[in-house]
């Protein structure tokens, strides 16, 4: 085998195999008390080490290049991504959400690997400790209790239609054809799209079902109701009702890490004769990296809500 080809295989192959090995080990259910894929260790430290490995295993000449240090670590990461998708241990939704962090931290790792590679001192011991770091930090992180974070996703839209027409569309949403669905983010992530919402009666205690594709159903109970003004409802999704192929296990609604708590519709009369329809929800994240997961959760919820508001606006103004 050509020396250059062999060296390239080492530079790309070893970091990729390292990442795969950690993904398998951190994904073993019986080891959840020590290691977890949904952890800062996996999300931030793994790609950092992959980046450092990639550059450290390269030649000194290549490691001197800043461009090489920053971008070369992306190759084993994308290979890792492709393999996990093919063998089915990760889904598109998870990968798209963590990819920005993985690319950034892998580049930082590449800078570290280049520094260690180009120093005159022997840094092999330090680098060996870096490779073993996830096995030391992982159990420490698992021992820390997560603090659930509650977040609010707020959206609104102005509608040129009478309040009674808008409210009839708020309480009950007729079937939404795929052609009317404008949820670009949820569509990109492969999330279920809304189909319809049914309410048995208008008032406190009313039961509402918000039905989505792929078997996802939000069970909603009205807790506050003012006709044509306000409707507050609790939201519950039961993971056992959702087919395993609907969502990645790490982002399943009502699961260990992400849950929607409640929603509110408010209708506000504007001076220009239009109506402003407010829709906001509260959801909960339960990870050690809520600062990042919460941002994604808010973006996803806003995309779902904006999609529904745009449909209600179009229908109300056409009535």
């Amino acid at each position: 085998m050509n020396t250059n080809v062999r060296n390239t295989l080492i530079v790309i192959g070893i970091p990729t195999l390292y990442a795969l090995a950690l993904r398998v080990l951190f994904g073993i259910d019986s080891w959840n008390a020590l290691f977890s894929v949904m952890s800062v260790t996996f999300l931030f430290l793994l790609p950092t080490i992959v980046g450092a490995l990639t550059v450290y295993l390269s030649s000194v000449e290549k490691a001197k290049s800043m461009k090489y240090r920053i971008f070369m670590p992306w190759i084993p990461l994308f290979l890792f991504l492709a393999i996990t998708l093919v063998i089915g241990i990760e889904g598109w939704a998870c990968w798209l959400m963590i990819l920005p962090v993985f690319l950034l931290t892998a580049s930082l790792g590449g800078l570290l690997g280049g520094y260690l590679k180009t120093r005159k001192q022997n840094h092999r011991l330090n680098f060996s400790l870096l490779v073993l770091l996830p096995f030391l930090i992982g159990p420490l992180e698992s021992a820390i209790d997560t603090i659930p974070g509650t977040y609010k996703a707020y959206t609104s839209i102005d509608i040129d239609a009478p309040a009674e027409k808008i409210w009839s569309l708020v309480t009950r949403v007729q079937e939404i054809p795929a052609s009317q669905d404008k949820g670009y983010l949820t569509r990109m992530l492969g999330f279920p799209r809304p189909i319809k919402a049914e309410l048995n009666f208008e008032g406190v205690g009313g039961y509402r079902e918000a039905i989505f594709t792929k078997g996802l159903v939000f069970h909603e109970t009205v807790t506050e109701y003012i006709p044509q003004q306000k409707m507050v409802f609790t939201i519950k999704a039961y993971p056992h009702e959702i087919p395993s192929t609907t969502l990645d296990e790490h982002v399943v609604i009502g699961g260990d890490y992400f849950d929607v708590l409640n929603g509110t519709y408010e209708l506000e009369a504007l001076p220009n004769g239009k109506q402003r329809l407010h829709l906001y929800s509260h959801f909960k994240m339960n990870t050690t990296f809520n600062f990042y997961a919460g941002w994604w959760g808010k973006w996803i919820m806003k995309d779902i809500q904006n999609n529904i508001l745009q449909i209600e606006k179009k229908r109300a103004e056409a009535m």
Side-chain angles (χ1 to χ4, degrees):
M1 183 183 295
N2 183 284
T3 302
N4 289 334
V5 173
R6 182 174 64 85
N7 290 341
T8 300
L9 289 176
I10 290 173
V11 168
I12 297 174
I14 290 179
T16 304
L17 290 174
Y18 176 82
L20 285 169
L22 254 66
R23 174 59 184 86
V24 171
L25 292 174
F26 275 55
I28 297 174
D29 290 338
S30 58
W31 289 12
N32 278 347
L34 295 176
F35 305 109
S36 173
V37 173
M38 295 291 285
S39 64
V40 171
T41 303
F42 187 85
L43 185 63
F44 292 90
L45 192 55
L46 168 64
T48 300
I49 296 172
V50 167
L53 261 176
T54 303
V55 178
Y56 189 79
L57 292 172
S58 303
S59 66
V60 174
E61 290 72 23
K62 290 181 177 179
K64 288 179 180 179
S65 167
M66 292 300 292
K67 184 184 292 187
Y68 186 90
R69 294 183 189 186
I70 292 171
F71 295 109
M72 184 62 187
W74 292 12
I75 295 177
L77 271 188
F78 281 119
L79 182 58
F80 173 50
L81 177 155
I83 293 172
T84 56
L85 288 175
V86 169
I87 64 180
I89 61 175
E90 288 294 353
W92 269 114
C94 264
W95 260 117
L96 288 172
M97 286 188 278
I98 68 175
L99 189 58
V101 171
F102 263 45
L103 294 178
L104 175 62
T105 50
S107 293
L108 294 175
L111 294 173
L112 174 61
Y115 169 79
L116 295 175
K117 183 71 176 184
T118 55
R119 296 302 93 190
K120 292 183 179 180
Q121 299 91 339
N122 190 332
H123 288 284
R124 288 185 180 179
L125 176 60
N126 293 337
F127 197 83
S128 299
L129 292 174
L130 179 64
V131 171
L132 294 174
L133 209 52
F135 300 99
L136 302 174
I137 294 181
L140 293 176
E141 183 181 352
S142 297
I144 300 173
D145 290 334
T146 58
I147 302 175
T150 302
Y151 303 85
K152 178 180 178 180
Y154 170 80
T155 51
S156 68
I157 197 167
D158 291 353
I159 304 175
D160 189 8
E164 60 271 18
K165 289 185 177 181
I166 299 171
W167 199 250
S168 67
L169 297 171
V170 165
T171 53
R172 297 173 178 86
V173 181
Q174 295 181 358
E175 188 161 344
I176 302 169
S179 59
Q180 293 183 4
D181 183 16
K182 304 300 181 183
Y184 72 96
L185 176 62
T186 48
R187 185 167 57 249
M188 181 180 69
L189 293 174
F191 273 62
R193 68 172 187 83
I195 298 178
K196 60 181 178 178
E198 301 171 343
L199 177 67
N200 59 356
F201 73 90
E202 297 179 22
V204 174
Y207 172 69
R208 190 171 186 261
E209 278 190 347
I211 302 169
F212 287 65
T213 57
K214 302 182 181 180
L216 175 63
V217 177
F218 287 132
H219 302 273
E220 304 171 352
T221 302
V222 178
T223 58
E224 184 180 347
Y225 189 84
I226 304 175
Q228 298 181 24
Q229 291 184 42
K230 187 175 185 180
M231 182 170 70
V232 182
F233 47 93
T234 61
I235 302 174
K236 187 64 181 176
Y238 299 104
H240 66 272
E241 293 182 349
I242 305 171
S244 59
T245 55
T246 298
L247 292 167
D248 188 287
E249 62 175 317
H250 302 125
V251 294
V252 66
I253 301 169
D256 294 333
Y257 309 108
F258 177 43
D259 198 10
V260 185
L261 303 176
N262 56 60
T264 299
Y265 274 105
E266 289 188 18
L267 194 57
E268 174 192 2
L270 299 177
N272 59 6
K274 294 183 179 181
Q275 302 285 331
R276 178 164 295 162
L277 181 58
H278 305 264
L279 173 56
Y280 52 92
S281 62
H282 293 90
F283 62 93
K284 181 177 69 175
M285 304 299 305
N286 190 31
T287 71
T288 54
F289 52 92
N290 282 352
F291 58 91
Y292 185 72
W295 179 81
W296 269 102
K298 188 175 293 187
W299 196 12
I300 290 169
M301 291 304 300
K302 283 188 173 183
D303 187 66
I304 294 172
Q305 293 171 190
N306 276 319
N307 185 26
I308 294 171
L309 289 178
Q310 289 177 36
I311 291 169
E312 290 170 339
K313 172 183 172 70
K314 185 175 182 180
R315 290 180 174 182
E317 291 180 346
M319 291 175 69

